[in-house]
Amino acid sequence: MRRIAMLAVCFGLIATPVLAQSKIEIQQLNDQWSAAFNKGDAAAVAAMYAQDAYMLPAGAPMVKGRAAIEGFVKQITQDLGDFKLTTLDVKPLGPDAALEIGTATFKHKGQAGAVKYAVVWQKEGGSWKLLQDIWNSDK
Amino acid sequence: MRRIAMLAVCFGLIATPVLAQSKIEIQQLNDQWSAAFNKGDAAAVAAMYAQDAYMLPAGAPMVKGRAAIEGFVKQITQDLGDFKLTTLDVKPLGPDAALEIGTATFKHKGQAGAVKYAVVWQKEGGSWKLLQDIWNSDK
């Protein structure tokens, strides 16, 4: 009985933090993304995307693949900065993929802006890469 | 040798159509979504979403969960119709999830409109349900 109780405690301790851990891990990746973007380091931003990733920007045509994403990021970092990403929810999609829902604030030519976003993270060679990145505005 | 060649042929025959098959299957689900939406059948549209799905509309706050999605769809079907969804790419994310990238055309109060979208499909009780639905415009 005590053994079962111990097991239950262990499962409780393990089961909850798995998701909490994912959320913390994903938030850290987002902080890394923002730091790179805010420095205008398009190569470091692009390195966080999967080789065949899709970026679907609000207000611009879709961009496919890491190289094209680097070119696009290089272009938009000229007017955009001060990014802060907030992970709201992380849903695991099997062992090697996860859906993240979040919000972002930024400055566009000095003006404050905000969007909501949905990204899909996928493990590529053991590390999480962005496979899908899409955002839009509430307004 | 002949056996290896046969195996290679078999793999070739099997491997390519799996993805092609997914794309056809997903396109059929999209056609089902459009048919329901264009009839103004918000309940049938909502039934295609996972219980805890996220809808992130362009120009409106995010909507969470099937019931809230039904309410939102009911509201927007009043001004929107003539939807046509086109699946551009499907990427499997493990056995029970897939990312889809596509485009949609529609009429908003009689005016033609177009968006690009990213959706995540997840198997729920053996059938594909929308877990994430987000779109935006190129302009």
Side-chain angles (χ1 to χ4, degrees):
Chain A
M1 193 56 204
R2 185 178 288 182
R3 204 180 278 178
I4 291 169
M6 280 293 287
L7 262 173
V9 167
C10 287
F11 274 116
L13 284 173
I14 296 161
T16 325
V18 165
L19 263 181
Q21 182 54 39
S22 307
K23 211 171 153 185
I24 290 166
E25 195 183 349
I26 297 293
Q27 181 63 61
Q28 283 168 346
L29 288 165
N30 284 327
D31 293 345
Q32 189 184 324
W33 188 99
S34 307
F37 192 99
N38 294 340
K39 276 193 296 184
D41 189 346
V45 172
M48 296 189 67
Y49 287 78
Q51 200 61 49
D52 56 348
Y54 280 96
M55 182 183 269
L56 280 73
M62 75 171 76
V63 186
K64 193 182 171 188
R66 193 182 286 160
I69 288 170
E70 181 172 342
F72 181 77
V73 169
K74 199 165 186 171
Q75 188 188 317
I76 62 169
T77 47
Q78 291 168 16
D79 291 332
L80 280 165
D82 238 341
F83 256 95
K84 200 185 172 307
L85 306 178
T86 304
T87 304
L88 296 181
D89 198 3
V90 174
K91 288 183 181 291
L93 304 165
D96 293 323
L99 165 64
E100 180 202 351
I101 303 291
T103 54
T105 57
F106 55 85
K107 290 217 172 119
H108 180 250
K109 297 183 182 178
Q111 292 276 332
V115 292
K116 57 191 178 298
Y117 67 79
V119 305
V120 171
W121 294 91
Q122 194 174 36
K123 281 250 166 101
E124 204 177 78
S127 55
W128 288 109
K129 298 288 179 184
L130 287 151
L131 180 65
Q132 165 216 288
D133 186 6
I134 175 170
W135 62 91
N136 64 33
S137 159
D138 288 2
K139 290 171 198 160
Chain B
M1 192 60 203
R2 185 179 285 181
R3 203 181 278 179
I4 291 169
M6 280 293 287
L7 263 173
V9 167
C10 287
F11 274 114
L13 285 174
I14 296 161
T16 325
V18 165
L19 264 180
Q21 183 52 41
S22 307
K23 210 171 153 184
I24 291 166
E25 194 183 348
I26 296 293
Q27 181 63 59
Q28 283 167 347
L29 289 165
N30 284 328
D31 293 346
Q32 190 184 324
W33 187 99
S34 306
F37 193 100
N38 293 339
K39 277 193 295 186
D41 189 347
V45 172
M48 297 189 68
Y49 287 78
Q51 202 60 50
D52 58 348
Y54 281 96
M55 182 184 267
L56 279 72
M62 73 171 76
V63 186
K64 193 181 172 188
R66 194 183 283 161
I69 288 170
E70 182 172 343
F72 181 77
V73 169
K74 199 165 187 171
Q75 186 188 319
I76 62 169
T77 47
Q78 291 167 16
D79 291 330
L80 279 165
D82 237 342
F83 256 95
K84 199 184 172 308
L85 306 178
T86 304
T87 303
L88 296 182
D89 198 4
V90 173
K91 288 182 182 290
L93 304 165
D96 293 324
L99 164 64
E100 180 202 352
I101 302 291
T103 54
T105 58
F106 55 85
K107 290 219 173 116
H108 180 249
K109 297 184 181 176
Q111 292 277 331
V115 293
K116 58 191 177 300
Y117 67 78
V119 306
V120 171
W121 293 91
Q122 194 173 36
K123 281 250 164 100
E124 203 178 79
S127 55
W128 288 109
K129 298 288 179 183
L130 287 151
L131 180 66
Q132 164 215 290
D133 187 7
I134 174 169
W135 62 89
N136 63 34
S137 158
D138 288 1
K139 288 168 197 161

